[in-house]
């Protein structure tokens, strides 16, 4: 790989790392930050090796995400079974509150669905995809000021919806 391509790869990683790390966290189930970072690093290593073959730079995120999924599946297959069936129940419940997290996610999803489409899209691009206001404006074909006011109004509505939700 020549120096220009290497600089291009480093610039890509510097710009997209937060978004890709969030995707890695979702794949690892938010178990450990280190595991998500390892997964992202493994996928970026595979991407680095294939960098010259990736012609469409707009498709790099998809390539990295696919590499993360494939790597995670490979890691799952290698894991030894750590849970063995038994007739006895554990003495204490697990510390992780899956039901609480699931309920929170459900409430937030319902609140997002109540937003008008443009507001929902702006919020998702800003906070879920971690795009800048300028990037959102370019994507939606509107001004940066429109993005700011749209996101602000959407967040106000979400706060109202979530305050009402039991």
């Amino acid at each position: 790989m020549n120096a220009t391509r290497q600089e291009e790869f480093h610039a890509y990683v510097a710009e997209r790392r937060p978004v890709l790390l969030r995707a890695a966290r979702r794949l690892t189930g938010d178990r450990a930050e280190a595991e998500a970072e390892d997964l992202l690093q493994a996928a970026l290593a595979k991407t680095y090796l294939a960098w010259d073959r990736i012609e469409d730079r707009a498709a790099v995120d998809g390539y990295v995400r696919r590499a993360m999924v494939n790597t995670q599946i490979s890691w799952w297959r290698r894991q030894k079974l750590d849970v063995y069936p038994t007739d006895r129940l554990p003495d204490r419940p697990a510390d992780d509150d899956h039901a609480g997290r699931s309920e929170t996610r459900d409430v937030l999803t319902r609140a997002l669905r109540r937003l008008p489409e443009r507001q929902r899209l702006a919020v998702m691009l800003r906070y879920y995809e971690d795009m800048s206001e300028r990037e959102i404006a370019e994507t939606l074909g509107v001004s940066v000021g429109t993005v700011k006011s749209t996101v602000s109004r959407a967040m106000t509505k979400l706060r109202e919806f979530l305050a009402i939700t039991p």
Side-chain angles (χ1 to χ4, degrees), residues 85-100:
T86 180
D87 291 334
R88 291 179 45 148
L89 293 175
D91 293 337
R92 59 184 175 83
D95 294 334
D96 202 5
D97 182 16
H98 294 291

Side-chain angles (χ1 to χ4, degrees), residues 23-40:
R25 284 187 196 114
R26 287 190 301 265
L27 285 170
T28 59
D30 297 326
R31 288 186 300 273
E33 183 71 18
E35 190 174 339
E37 289 176 1
D38 288 346
L39 178 61
L40 177 58

Side-chain angles (χ1 to χ4, degrees), residues 2-126:
N2 64 30
T4 306
R5 297 268 193 194
Q6 195 170 15
E7 289 171 8
E8 188 179 331
F9 178 78
H10 287 294
Y12 166 78
V13 172
E15 180 183 340
R16 300 301 292 165
R17 186 181 184 283
V19 173
L20 296 170
L21 184 57
R22 197 169 43 253
R25 284 187 196 114
R26 287 190 301 265
L27 285 170
T28 59
D30 297 326
R31 288 186 300 273
E33 183 71 18
E35 190 174 339
E37 289 176 1
D38 288 346
L39 178 61
L40 177 58
Q41 189 64 32
L44 288 174
K46 291 176 183 179
T47 305
Y48 180 79
L49 294 174
W51 191 254
D52 290 332
R53 293 189 317 260
I54 303 172
E55 294 176 13
D56 183 9
R57 293 298 186 226
V60 175
D61 276 4
Y63 185 93
V64 174
R65 285 188 173 109
R66 184 77 249 172
M68 283 193 289
V69 168
N70 291 344
T71 302
Q72 183 65 30
I73 289 170
S74 176
W75 289 355
W76 285 334
R77 288 179 178 157
R78 280 191 229 139
Q79 283 181 346
K80 186 179 124 184
L81 181 62
D82 291 332
V83 179
Y84 298 97
T86 180
D87 291 334
R88 291 179 45 148
L89 293 175
D91 293 337
R92 59 184 175 83
D95 294 334
D96 202 5
D97 182 16
H98 294 291
R101 282 192 297 162
S102 179
E103 183 178 330
T104 301
R105 184 175 295 135
D106 183 51
V107 167
L108 184 57
T109 300
R110 280 187 272 131
L112 283 167
R113 285 186 186 142
R114 292 176 64 184
L115 290 175
E117 183 177 348
R118 184 173 176 173
Q119 288 182 358
R120 182 174 53 247
L121 184 58
V123 168
M124 295 300 288
L125 291 174
R126 180 71 181 107

